[in-house]
Every structure is written in C-alpha cells, then in structure tokens.
Amino acid sequence: MKEKYFPQELEEKWQRRWAEEKTFEVTEDREREKFYCLEMLAYTSGRAHIGHVSNFSIGDALAWYKRMRGFNVLHPFGWDAFGQPAETAAIKDGTDPEKFTRDAIAYMKWQFQRMGLSYDWSREVATCDPEYYKWNQWFFIQMWRRGMLYRKLAPVNWCPKENISLSNEQASGGVCWRCDTPVIQKQLMQWFARITDYADQLLDDLDKLEGKWPDRVVSQQRNWIGRSLGAEVRFEVADTIDTITVFTTRIDTIFGANAIILAPEHPLLAKIVEGKPQREEVLAFAERLRKEQRNARAEELEKEGINTGGWAVNPFNRERLPIWIANFVLIDYGTGALMSVPAGDQRDFEFSRKYNLPFRQIKLTEDGREIPAEELEVPNEDWIVTVNSGRWSGLASKEANRLMTEYAEAEGFGRATTTYKLRDWGISRQRYWGTPIPMIHCDTCGIVPVPESELPVVLPKGVNLKVEGGSPLDHVPEFVNVTCPNCGGAARRDTDTMDTFVDSNWYYFRYCDPHNDEQPFDPDKIHYWLPVNQYIGGIEHAVLHLIYTRYWTKMMRDIGLVRFDEPVERLLSQGMVCKETFYCPNHEWLFPEQVTDGNRCSICESAVIIGRSEKMSKSRKNAVDPIEMINIHGADSIRLFVLFAGPPEQDKEWSDTGFNGAAKYLQRVWRIAYKWQSRVAGAEVAEPAEMSDYQRRMRRRTHQIVRSITENFEERLHLNTCISSLMELTNEIYLFDQAVDKNGEPTSADVFVAREAIEALIRMIAPFTPHIAEELWESYGHSESLARSRWPEYSDELARDEEIEVAVQVNGKLRSRLFVSPDVSREELERAALADEKVQAAAAGRDVAKVIVVPQKLVNVVVK
RNA sequence: GGGGAUGUGGCGGAACUGGCAGACGCGAAGGUCUCAAAAACCUUUGGGAUAACCUCCCGUGUGGGUUCGAUUCCCACCAUCCCCACCA
C-alpha cells in the first residue's frame, strides 16, 4: 500500500479492472431479488457537464448500496442520439449528423468512464442504431393497425429558427422549448398518437405514484392533463337551424349569461355573419385576432372582441344573447365557444365591462344578501347560493349544477362531459435525424405499412440537409420511390421522422434485452427487471418524457407486451448544479478570471454585476468541466463533493474550496487507513472479552453510524448526511488512534476494534467514492471486489449508549442536564430533575404544576 | 390567475414522528511544526451582556395562534425560485 493517495493512478487501475472482470454485468438471476436503478439516458450534446456528474453520482451510490445489500442490480446506460442539434451542427460544419453523434458518444463515453460509474456497459443502447429504431417503427405499425395513430391536417407549432415542428409540450408558452423563439403555425399533414384516449388512466394512476414521485411532478402532470368536469350546452342560433355548443363547468350560472363568445377560428363564424352588413369588418377582425393570438403571450394580450350581429338563444330561459368573437377564446379547448357570465367569472367580468354588456346577479353573498349586479366590484366566483335562476333559485351551487345538467340532458340540449387540456401527441417531424416513419403512400391502396420483414427502414446516408421547407428525405428519390407492398404499383414513402421523445419512451425496456432482433424485448426478461425501482433525472422532464413514457407503457400493455400499468416505482428529480455569474454591461457574461479584484471588467473597467447563482451553462460562462476537475483531485472527489453539497433533490452551489475539502477528506481517510493497514491486514484477532472505555466507545460509534447510514439509504436517500456520518466515523477513528498511541503499542483488542471501524468505513464509502474504497479494501487483504462484498451489519446491542444526556427544562427553557443510564425509569428521571440544583434555582420556590418526561430525551418541569 | 417549492451562522447545509437549534463541511482567526512556505495537527468560531470563566439574555423571513414545549403544526403576510396559464 502506498503511503500517499494518488487518485488518478488508482482510479485508472480500478476502471480497467472493473471492465476486464465485467464486475457490473448482470443477468436475470431468479434466486435473487432484483433492483433496477436507472438514470435518464444522456443526450449526445458532445460534452459531459456537472449535471451529469450529479445525476449519475446519485444513481451510482444507490446501485452500489443495493449491490452490497445482495440485490441483483441492473444499472445500464445509453444515449438519446437522435434530434435536432446534431442536424444543426452537421449543417453548420457540412458534416454528417451520424458522424457528429458517433463522435459525441465516443467522447462522452470516455468522460463518463473516467467517472468510474458502475454501469453494465454490455447493455449500452444508442437510439440512432437501426437495431433500436427498428422497434420504434414496429411499435408505430402495431399502433397504426389498432387505430392508436392517425393522420390529420393540423396547424403545427413551427419553430422558424430551427425549421422544426414542435409538440404542444415543446411549444408551451408559445416559444420553442430549446431556443425560445416564438412559435408560428403551419398547416401540415401530421401523424398523431391518441394519447388523449389515455387521459383518464394517466391521471388516475398518478394516485399510485403519490408519495413515491416528487409532489411537483405529480401535480405538474395533473395540471398538464387538466381534466375538468362540466357540461356541454347547445344554444340555437336564432332564426337558423344551426346550433353552437359551449363547454362550461358552471352550468348553474347560465341564467347570468350575457353573450356567447366564439374563438376567431370557430367554423360557424362565416355562416353567422353571412349577408350581414358587418360581415367584412368581423371577418377582418377575426383574421387579425388569429394572427395576434399566435404571436403574443397571454398576459401581453389585451382582451378584444366584436359583436358578430348574430343571436343565440339560451335554452334555459329563451333569452336572446348576442354572439361575439374574442381573442381569449381558444379554438382547441372545450368546444371553441363559451357563454359569458360576468357576475361569476373574472374574464367575462372584464370583457363585459369593456364592451358594456349587461350584468345579472345569479348568486347570494355568504351572508345571504343579493348585491345588484351593477354594484359588483369583482365577480362572485365563490358564492354558493343561486338566485334569479327560475326554478333552480335558492339551491346550493353544487346542487344546481347537478340538477341543471340533468335537466339539459332530459330536454336534449346538453350533457355532462369532461374536457382535458391534454392534446393528442403530434409525432411527425419534418427533419432528417430521426426514426423514419415506416409507412408507404399508394394512390390505389392509401396508406400501407412497410411489411415487418422489411424493417428497419434505414435512414439513408449522405442526404442534403439544407432544403427549404418539407423534409430532407423528400429530396432522396431512391428512398422515396418504392412499390406498394399491397398492389405492387408505384408508391411513395412517408418522409417524416418521429419525434425523439418516441425514442426515450421505452429505452429502459430495451436495456433488459438489448440485442434481441426478434422482438423489442423478451417479456420474460422485462418482467424480471421492470418496473424500474428508482429513476433519477432532471425536473425538466416532469411533463414531457415522463408523461409520454407512462403513456407508452400503457399502450404496450394494451397491445399485450407488458403486464403492469406504471413503469417507474420511485422517481427522484435531482437539483441543478449552480455557480455564481459575472455580468459586464458591455461584454455580457465574463469568466471569473476576467473580473478584477475590485469587481471590474478586465476589458473595459465597468463595474461587474455579480449575479445570483445560476444553472451552469456555457453561455453564462460559469460551467465547470468535469474532466478538468478529475485531473485535479480525481473522480472520487468530484463525486463526493456534489453529493455532499446538499440533498439530492435540491439545487447545489459549486464551490472550488468545497471540492478541495472533499479531496482533503479522502486524504484523511487514506492516512488513517495507511497507518493501520500493516497492523490489521491478515491479523488474526478474536473479539475481546474485556474492553476499555475508548475501545467500547469506538465500537459503539461504529455500530451507531452503520445503523444511521443504512437507515438513511433505506428511507430518505439524503446522501449528504450519509457523508457527514462517514466523516464523523473518520473523526472517531482518529480519536481512537490517539488513545491507542497514548498507550504505546496496540493490543489485540485495539486491532479488533480498529479493523471493525476502518473496514466499515471502507465499505460504506464505496457508494460515494468507489475507487479509493476498492484500493483500500484490497490493501486490507480482500481479494474480491467490494461489489461482491457485503454491506456492514450493525447490532443494536453494541450501538446502545452506556450513558445518555437528558435535557432538563423549566417552563420550556433549558436549565440543566442529567447524565443517566438509557434505561432509567420515568420516575427516576423526574425525581433527579426535581432534585437538580439549577432546576430548584430556576423554579425559585414556585409550585410545580406538572412534569413532562420524554424518555431518553428531556424533562420539562412546569411551575406556576 | 392556478399549481409546486424554498427561507436556519460569513457560506453549503443538519436537526427523521413537535423535545437540548447550528451536526458535518467550507471559510476565518490564533497556535504547533518549519529558515520560510505548503501540507498536516491543535484551539476558537450564531449575536449580545461580562475583563474572563461560570452564567444570563436574544436568535430558524415577518406577525399571530395551538402546546408544558414550535425550525417542525395552523392562520395571515413578506421575499425568492420553478412549472403552467385568457383552459371557460
């Protein structure tokens, strides 16, 4: 064993040995309990960042722990390799997206391997491999056959900067999720997956995930699916045979309606204004609203509308209501039409004020008064007793809602219904670098799937990516022109590719059987490994990937491949790694070395704004390169630091000195292990019958700390406090060592106690810093990898304190302490506390009203 | 507007089910070793009162409440962050 700790040297040694000995490769072992530990696959951006270090360190710690607890641990890794950035980079450099991606994978894999992560690399998957995306195509065909996919001409969200279509999720807020460019709309024939058929299941099954998934993810998904229960009500358009259906959650307020308002795109608009004098004006207005609505965010858009001149008839009271159009009515939510009730809804209230539409009060205040509508200052959304509503007056809102829906159903002009915010998932992309859609368009036979025996439809190479509009594959005749599998006539391939979120839907199923060329996976294998026991990834996937993959699992269940409903048991959304930024008004973000001591820009001398800590990124110039850090103190130190910086789910602040501290700690571990190595390794010592104080203390602390770290891994996974406990154990070993030195030569009892403590430390540090742990373990005479060793056991008996400190309070204020045996009775504690001098002084002769005793912790004497 | 979180020393954080606030680490100060520096080791380190020890007072964003006892539970407010958003 070397006297000094040289991290890079021994890290290389162990990384090589793990690879050679296939230490982390696993197979289905039905005798052992499995544990599937999964980190989100890496996007092939080209470079590892600290976020990866943080994500993978958490997963790796858990994988190590479970392995040492005897589980058969599946811990695989792969690449999210299709997608726009590779294509953009290729266009820029005139290279090939495949080359860009393969290079990125090679480099990032080298980076990740230098972190020494315990992956079973034999299961590595890259989504751009034809052996992988073949099965995307296969799924596509199965879904199409079952009517789970359809095609429609749809306005797609289109990012004009990247020339790519986006799903609703990717275009949320009206901007591109990747580059923040405002999204425009384009009409294109698109493939859609009927995810809305699963809306109820996706929502209801969230209940099963509650407590095991972070609250914010569950609630974000609930909001995203956005189920509202309400009613559809059909209004006749006066003097015509047409009707307008509105969706409302508050049918009980219908007597307060003062208008029907349509989205500018509403299909009936043209007919309503036909032959009316204001026709031109209204249609022009609608056209303008359509354009503006698309380009502005909600809060920037002032409410605007126009009276179409048409009239609708309220089916409850036969009142005639003017038909308006307005920019706040959305064509793709509900029915694209609503009834305006100013007394009961903020938006209708504002709109009616602006355009002087009449108000009618339909609810009483909480104390039973009726405020005249014209005196309302704000709408009465929460008032619950209905008035001025015909035979429903006097009912509670809920009751009115139910009875009025029943009435509408009975009279045939309405029905109870459910509306969702969730839209069907548009999965076509007019791009090159993705899975080709395996469909053929034949003039005679229509849409025909590629025969399964011909899969995969391989993405052609050497394609010109710089095409204006449409997909690059449109311009590859040898790809496009095929014969129809059905009639043998001339036909065209579909030239769109799939959204990359299709790729990430099921990659972790593929890990269970990565080389299967008969089927996407062997059901026996996935039912051994899945569901994933612990999934770890970034919060940014709360509604994208994590809804799609839940949907895909249910789809696979419905086509008979899978027997469970939810793919992921526990989810952990890890925090970001942040660092402070420096911003110069003239030169934007600066590197720390560009800032002078007086906080001025070294280029222009302007005062630098020291920004709050932000997520590391290249553009903010606050990124830290993991490889540089590994070169300084080694992979173990960087892993230890990111885990120690805070609880896994919380954001962390990068600190160079903190990183240094992690390295210093490992030096300290090495030093004490080195000092005891020659005494302990190979020594045959029996458990001593008699021990002195310092020996008993060492054993007690060892068992206490093993217990606390074990419990933490099992329950809370607060890895930062596990590391504090390891540091405490280390400090304890140093104290013990000093006690031994004081006595001269170590006795056999000393060796026994030291070995127990140091070997527990080495084993428990393995999940955090596996390289140094393996090296120390080997030098302590163990020939097999720590991955095959067992997690240390603890004994409650040995962890028991001999004497505990009990706090004594008088009226809730700490006044004294008692040192007692842990099994002292309540009565004795009470007696000792009352007898205590300081307690008597604090009580100052007042009467003792009562005494509260919390065993092992505290006594509170209450005096009056 | 809706939803979710967070707020504790100079800093990162700890305190698990209401029971001694500040574990562990960083930083800082002083010391030992050294020609010197680094490393390592030792001591101190929430604020205040006191020359100092003992001791006492204050202290977990703010204001209330519940309780023998609140960082923890409840109500209101303030601040910050994240997600969604004219969703009828």
Side-chain angles (χ1 to χ4, degrees):
Chain A
M1 183 184 181
K2 292 202 166 143
E3 190 179 347
K4 290 251 152 56
Y5 167 52
F6 296 109
Q8 289 82 3
E9 191 181 304
L10 67 91
E11 286 177 4
E12 204 194 322
K13 164 184 162 184
W14 284 99
Q15 286 164 17
R16 202 176 336 107
R17 188 170 304 178
W18 291 328
E20 280 164 6
E21 294 179 359
K22 304 186 190 315
T23 309
F24 307 117
E25 293 186 17
V26 288
T27 53
E28 298 77 35
D29 173 352
R30 316 256 162 198
E31 304 295 302
R32 286 162 74 202
E33 200 177 336
K34 66 91 183 180
F35 190 88
Y36 192 168
C37 180
L38 179 69
E39 293 113 60
M40 286 184 187
L41 80 181
Y43 182 67
T44 51
S45 60
R47 219 153 251 281
H49 51 77
I50 296 278
H52 290 123
V53 177
S54 150
N55 188 182
F56 305 158
S57 299
I58 298 164
D60 210 43
L62 185 62
W64 267 98
Y65 170 76
K66 289 289 179 181
R67 210 176 276 128
M68 292 174 76
R69 294 288 299 197
F71 286 82
N72 191 24
V73 175
L74 177 59
H75 191 218
F77 196 73
W79 309 96
D80 185 17
F82 271 140
Q84 188 54 33
E87 197 163 335
T88 309
I91 291 171
K92 208 171 115 203
D93 306 344
T95 61
D96 176 34
E98 169 137 28
K99 181 173 185 321
F100 175 90
T101 304
R102 297 288 170 193
D103 288 351
I105 290 176
Y107 184 69
M108 291 173 80
K109 186 171 177 182
W110 172 78
Q111 290 185 303
F112 293 164
Q113 282 176 332
R114 285 205 61 189
M115 288 169 55
L117 300 159
S118 66
Y119 290 130
D120 177 351
W121 285 102
S122 74
R123 294 169 181 269
E124 182 180 359
V125 164
T127 58
C128 65
D129 289 336
E131 299 74 42
Y132 182 79
Y133 70 68
K134 170 182 178 177
W135 300 107
N136 286 346
Q137 295 172 339
W138 183 85
F139 281 122
F140 192 99
I141 293 169
Q142 309 310 310
M143 291 169 76
W144 184 76
R145 290 210 169 111
R146 288 168 172 80
M148 294 168 161
L149 296 177
Y150 65 99
R151 233 158 90 88
K152 71 173 179 192
L153 192 63
V156 297
N157 302 300
W158 186 266
C159 170
K161 186 172 168 203
E162 301 194 52
N163 267 324
I164 183 178
S165 60
L166 304 169
S167 67
N168 286 323
E169 286 84 347
Q170 292 161 349
S172 95
V175 294
C176 174
W177 71 299
R178 229 200 276 282
C179 64
D180 270 355
T181 311
V183 165
I184 60 168
Q185 308 286 311
K186 245 187 167 176
Q187 290 287 333
L188 286 174
M189 214 40 166
Q190 300 282 313
W191 285 99
F192 283 84
R194 294 189 198 274
I195 191 171
T196 51
D197 285 354
Y198 288 83
D200 280 319
Q201 287 182 47
L202 287 168
L203 192 66
D204 295 340
D205 284 350
L206 284 174
D207 296 347
K208 298 183 194 166
L209 305 178
E210 208 132 22
K212 298 178 177 177
W213 282 34
D215 289 347
R216 56 178 168 169
V217 174
V218 172
S219 96
Q220 269 182 51
Q221 293 209 357
R222 282 215 174 94
N223 281 328
W224 190 265
I225 296 165
R227 178 162 68 190
S228 14
L229 305 173
E232 282 179 3
V233 182
R234 213 163 56 240
F235 288 69
E236 293 161 21
V237 180
D239 312 320
T240 73
I241 55 159
D242 295 318
T243 58
I244 295 169
T245 304
V246 305
F247 173 73
T248 177
T249 54
R250 294 296 301 272
I251 195 173
D252 60 296
T253 64
I254 198 167
F255 282 78
N258 62 356
I260 294 298
I261 311 181
L262 309 181
E265 300 88 341
H266 199 280
L268 222 51
L269 176 63
K271 221 169 160 191
I272 291 168
V273 294
E274 195 55 52
K276 294 209 164 62
Q278 59 270 61
R279 177 175 181 272
E280 295 311 315
E281 191 198 349
V282 172
L283 290 180
F285 190 82
E287 183 58 31
R288 183 169 68 79
L289 291 189
R290 273 202 287 271
K291 286 201 176 123
E292 285 176 358
Q293 202 174 21
R294 294 271 147 65
N295 296 328
R297 292 188 60 100
E299 69 264 27
E300 294 159 0
L301 210 58
E302 202 195 331
K303 287 178 185 40
E304 274 192 281
I306 192 169
N307 192 334
T308 64
W311 294 89
V313 180
N314 186 336
F316 275 83
N317 58 8
R318 307 306 297 170
E319 260 177 21
R320 284 163 72 95
L321 303 173
I323 301 172
W324 285 62
I325 57 171
N327 58 351
F328 65 85
V329 184
L330 306 172
I331 187 62
D332 57 358
Y333 182 77
T335 59
L338 58 82
M339 61 180 200
S340 160
V341 183
D345 179 274
Q346 180 67 38
R347 212 185 28 219
D348 298 344
F349 182 88
E350 287 169 24
F351 190 77
S352 299
R353 273 275 160 87
K354 176 165 177 180
Y355 291 103
N356 285 317
L357 295 170
F359 280 47
R360 176 186 294 146
Q361 185 54 273
I362 29 79
K363 297 286 166 181
L364 297 181
T365 60
E366 269 174 31
D367 49 5
R369 286 174 300 130
E370 182 179 334
I371 308 259
E374 52 279 6
E375 289 172 23
L376 274 178
E377 309 247 320
V378 287
N380 52 20
E381 294 173 70
D382 304 326
W383 301 2
I384 56 158
V385 177
T386 305
V387 289
N388 301 329
S389 298
R391 67 165 106 156
W392 294 277
S393 298
L395 292 176
S397 291
K398 270 199 177 147
E399 187 69 356
N401 207 308
R402 188 173 65 80
L403 292 172
M404 291 168 83
T405 305
E406 280 172 13
Y407 175 78
E409 272 174 8
E411 296 292 314
F413 59 77
R415 65 190 180 93
T417 187
T418 306
T419 294
Y420 303 88
K421 292 183 201 169
L422 185 71
R423 294 292 112 81
D424 274 341
W425 175 21
I427 57 173
S428 316
R429 295 292 178 274
Q430 290 68 44
R431 295 311 314 175
Y432 166 73
W433 192 232
T435 304
I437 286 178
M439 289 289 164
I440 289 169
H441 302 272
C442 170
D443 287 341
T444 322
C445 311
I447 293 171
V448 183
V450 172
E452 288 179 22
S453 61
E454 289 175 24
L455 295 181
V457 176
V458 177
L459 200 55
K461 293 183 192 287
V463 173
N464 176 21
L465 303 173
K466 296 179 195 167
V467 295
E468 295 288 322
S471 164
L473 292 175
D474 281 333
H475 305 267
V476 186
E478 58 278 23
F479 178 80
V480 174
N481 298 319
V482 286
T483 54
C484 170
N486 210 20
C487 69
R492 302 181 78 255
R493 270 191 207 285
D494 199 301
T495 54
D496 282 355
T497 53
M498 295 181 204
D499 183 358
T500 53
F501 279 100
V502 173
D503 307 333
S504 51
N505 275 339
W506 66 285
Y507 71 97
Y508 52 92
F509 287 73
R510 185 69 180 174
Y511 285 151
C512 300
D513 193 10
H515 308 297
N516 195 328
D517 55 9
E518 302 290 316
Q519 48 186 339
F521 43 75
D522 176 348
D524 277 354
K525 290 187 176 172
I526 63 134
H527 286 106
Y528 174 76
W529 292 114
L530 281 154
V532 170
N533 298 88
Q534 178 72 61
Y535 198 16
I536 303 156
I539 185 67
E540 65 274 19
H541 293 109
V543 286
L544 290 158
H545 166 56
L546 289 170
I547 277 195
Y548 294 145
T549 195
R550 293 180 58 224
Y551 157 63
W552 205 260
T553 303
K554 293 173 195 301
M555 178 278 288
M556 292 193 291
R557 178 200 61 199
D558 290 348
I559 70 175
L561 294 172
V562 167
R563 293 194 300 268
F564 45 86
D565 297 324
E566 287 291 337
V568 173
E569 211 168 82
R570 303 188 78 90
L571 175 72
L572 191 152
S573 297
Q574 101 270 13
M576 301 180 300
V577 184
C578 302
K579 193 166 181 278
E580 71 177 349
T581 55
F582 301 96
Y583 192 87
C584 163
N586 302 321
H587 299 93
E588 303 201 316
W589 282 282
L590 303 176
F591 290 111
E593 57 270 22
Q594 293 175 298
V595 179
T596 64
D597 288 345
N599 286 331
R600 301 205 159 258
C601 170
S602 61
I603 312 166
C604 66
E605 296 285 304
S606 311
V608 166
I609 301 159
I610 300 177
R612 63 183 175 80
S613 178
E614 288 185 87
K615 183 182 180 173
M616 282 191 187
S617 78
K618 231 191 243 178
S619 61
R620 293 192 195 94
K621 299 196 174 169
N622 64 345
V624 169
D625 179 5
I627 292 292
E628 272 179 39
M629 296 302 120
I630 290 173
N631 289 339
I632 296 170
H633 289 310
D636 282 340
S637 289
I638 192 172
R639 293 172 59 161
L640 188 69
F641 169 71
V642 296
L643 293 176
F644 185 53
E649 63 276 10
Q650 197 172 303
D651 286 352
K652 294 149 189 101
E653 176 74 13
W654 177 267
S655 143
D656 287 325
T657 52
F659 173 48
N660 214 32
K664 265 162 69 174
Y665 169 67
L666 293 180
Q667 301 277 7
R668 210 168 131 77
V669 170
W670 186 275
R671 259 196 318 275
I672 196 73
Y674 175 79
K675 180 168 177 187
W676 280 84
Q677 187 255 353
S678 54
R679 299 169 177 172
V680 163
E684 301 263 339
V685 283
E687 182 167 349
E690 288 289 316
M691 286 187 293
S692 48
D693 280 352
Y694 71 93
Q695 291 164 338
R696 279 205 307 277
R697 178 184 164 90
M698 184 72 253
R699 287 207 86 183
R700 191 166 63 238
R701 294 295 291 144
T702 301
H703 284 260
Q704 285 174 346
I705 290 168
V706 171
R707 178 170 62 192
S708 113
I709 294 177
T710 306
E711 285 172 356
N712 198 327
F713 261 111
E714 291 296 332
E715 286 153 30
R716 300 201 302 163
L717 214 59
H718 276 197
L719 302 177
N720 56 328
T721 58
C722 288
I723 295 169
S724 320
S725 301
L726 288 169
M727 289 170 169
E728 285 182 82
L729 179 57
T730 311
N731 293 343
E732 209 62 63
I733 295 169
Y734 269 90
L735 282 178
F736 170 80
D737 176 63
Q738 283 170 11
V740 172
D741 280 353
K742 220 179 280 172
N743 297 342
E745 279 301 293
T747 63
S748 77
D750 288 331
V751 171
F752 178 89
V753 171
R755 170 149 70 193
E756 182 177 59
I758 296 171
E759 292 200 344
L761 175 65
I762 294 170
R763 284 182 286 171
M764 291 195 294
I765 211 173
F768 309 96
T769 58
H771 308 89
I772 188 176
E774 286 273 35
E775 183 68 20
L776 293 175
W777 189 242
E778 186 186 53
S779 64
Y780 268 59
H782 303 277
S783 55
E784 227 182 8
S785 163
L786 264 173
R788 313 254 176 273
S789 82
R790 295 305 296 257
W791 187 255
E793 303 281 339
Y794 62 86
S795 130
D796 282 322
E797 185 46 40
L798 288 166
R800 214 176 78 101
D801 282 302
E802 289 170 7
E803 186 182 69
I804 55 169
E805 194 183 321
V806 172
V808 184
Q809 298 179 332
V810 175
N811 286 350
K813 289 206 176 207
L814 182 68
R815 293 298 174 194
S816 182
R817 298 161 199 283
L818 299 171
F819 294 88
V820 295
S821 143
D823 35 35
V824 67
S825 71
R826 282 169 166 275
E827 292 72 25
E828 282 172 279
L829 261 183
E830 182 172 336
R831 217 175 304 126
L834 289 172
D836 189 276
E837 276 175 34
K838 288 175 187 155
V839 171
Q840 289 182 351
R846 288 174 290 175
D847 289 343
V848 174
K850 62 173 158 175
V851 180
I852 284 136
V853 179
V854 183
Q856 316 231 352
K857 290 227 161 110
L858 157 149
V859 180
N860 188 11
V861 179
V862 184
V863 295
K864 279 196 184 135

